[in-house]
Structure formats: C-alpha cells, structure tokens
Amino acid sequence: MKDYYNILNISRNAQELDIKKAYRKLAMIWHPDINNSPFAHSKFIEINEAYEILINQKKRGHYDKLFAEN
C-alpha cells in the first residue's frame, strides 16, 4: 500500500491547508510540462492520487484505517 503522507511529505496529522500547500509545491516541481524527467508523469500522477485521497475526509479516514491494519 502506498504511503500517501510520505508521497506528499507531510505528517499524519496534517491539516487541510498543509495538504494543499504540499500538493501545490510538489505539483509545481513534478508537472510534466515543467519537468523533463522521464519519471515526471508517473510522479505527478502519484502526487495527484495522494492529494485526492487525503483532501477528502471520508476517503482519508478509510485510507488511515486500512493503512493502520497493514
């Protein structure tokens, strides 16, 4: 299971604003239109996936529960 907190480089108790800031920072670095790395596209998708889960309280709660079980 992917560690979305690690992907966004935030703590497990990060607030919504912290998640948004981390996402924006990483998106600016890894956006495929900006970064020419061959890994940029996959990294950007991973960042978006982490953001979509962690910004939604319901999805985040479910994710945290599943992550704790592993």
Side-chain angles (χ1 to χ4, degrees), residues 9-70:
N9 208 16
I10 56 175
S11 69
R12 294 206 167 276
N13 61 354
Q15 300 297 314
E16 185 177 332
L17 185 59
D18 300 322
I19 297 167
K20 287 180 180 181
K21 283 181 181 180
Y23 168 76
R24 287 185 187 124
K25 178 181 176 185
L26 291 170
M28 291 298 291
I29 293 169
W30 288 102
H31 194 283
D33 289 345
I34 297 170
N35 190 322
N36 293 326
S37 167
F39 307 106
H41 181 73
S42 59
K43 184 69 174 174
F44 188 69
I45 289 173
E46 188 176 58
I47 292 164
N48 278 313
E49 183 181 323
Y51 176 76
E52 289 298 320
I53 296 296
L54 297 181
I55 202 67
N56 181 303
Q57 290 300 316
K58 201 173 204 179
K59 290 179 182 179
R60 184 179 180 178
H62 182 62
Y63 169 77
D64 286 344
K65 183 179 177 186
L66 288 175
F67 196 80
E69 292 173 357
N70 287 331

